[in-house]
Amino acid sequence: MSRIYERSAMRREQRGLYYEELTEGDCYVHSPGRTVGEADNTAFSTLTMNPQSLHLDEHRSAGTEFASRLVNSLFTLSTLVGLSVAQLTQRTTVANLGFGEVAFPAPVFVGDTLYAETEVVEKRLSRSRPGSGIVVFAHRCCNQRRELVARVRRSALMHRLPDGEEAAA
């Protein structure tokens, strides 16, 4: 990749945080939020072969207790985790190891804006991969009314700092 600014004394690439840069108990608030559009819900539901009328059929959904279509909960979950990537795991994660304690305490509707935050719950060095550590994240998602709409615990295998590289300030 060529350098755009040849005169720049410092060049920093956007990345997430390495294992050593994550501290148990720290909470990260992610930005920007993500407003859910009708096409998002329809495309996600059809791409994932989920023809649930609660997601696709406004007329039928109008007769439910929600009075409108619901956004697919797996879209909500994917967006929640996705909102954390740039700040926490971009190029610093090896792989997701598992998701647990998934909950959707309130519905999400087309037009809602999702906001996320992530707490580092625990971490330990990997016993089988010396260049990696395991981090448990607790992700939480609220809508524009600050109602909790989703939460999940995620275990991720994270890269350790490369030799010679210092932790981000």
Side-chain angles (χ1 to χ4, degrees):
M1 179 182 264
S2 66
R3 295 179 84 185
I4 297 171
Y5 300 105
E6 292 296 326
R7 297 179 206 194
S8 177
M10 175 59 80
R11 181 169 187 242
R12 297 179 190 262
E13 271 189 69
Q14 181 177 344
R15 66 167 172 82
L17 300 173
Y18 287 104
Y19 174 83
E20 290 83 357
E21 296 171 314
L22 295 162
T23 302
E24 286 184 22
D26 281 0
C27 185
Y28 297 87
V29 178
H30 310 300
S31 184
R34 171 69 157 79
T35 301
V36 181
E38 183 172 340
D40 298 322
N41 188 47
T42 301
F44 187 90
S45 295
T46 56
L47 284 170
T48 58
M49 301 298 291
N50 183 344
Q52 174 56 256
S53 59
L54 275 173
H55 305 313
L56 300 174
D57 186 334
E58 182 62 32
H59 175 74
R60 204 171 276 280
S61 297
T64 69
E65 64 187 274
F66 305 107
S68 185
R69 284 171 294 161
L70 298 177
V71 170
N72 187 313
S73 58
L74 293 179
F75 175 87
T76 302
L77 177 64
S78 295
T79 302
L80 166 56
V81 173
L83 287 168
S84 74
V85 169
Q87 191 172 15
L88 294 179
T89 62
Q90 178 71 281
R91 297 182 29 243
T92 57
T93 190
V94 178
N96 286 319
L97 300 176
F99 292 83
E101 301 177 32
V102 178
F104 303 101
V108 174
F109 299 97
V110 168
D112 281 350
T113 300
L114 303 177
Y115 297 96
E117 65 181 31
T118 300
E119 180 182 346
V120 178
V121 177
E122 61 184 83
K123 59 185 260 190
R124 68 171 176 83
L125 293 174
S126 172
R127 291 185 283 277
S128 61
R129 296 182 63 135
S132 303
I134 297 170
V135 178
V136 177
F137 297 106
H139 300 287
R140 291 177 292 275
C141 185
C142 291
N143 61 20
Q144 69 278 8
R145 292 177 298 282
R146 297 186 178 177
E147 299 166 330
L148 182 68
V149 296
R151 67 177 179 270
V152 63
R153 287 173 69 99
R154 172 174 68 123
S155 297
L157 187 63
M158 301 294 295
H159 288 293
R160 296 199 58 203
L161 271 168
D163 288 340
E165 189 165 329
E166 292 184 30

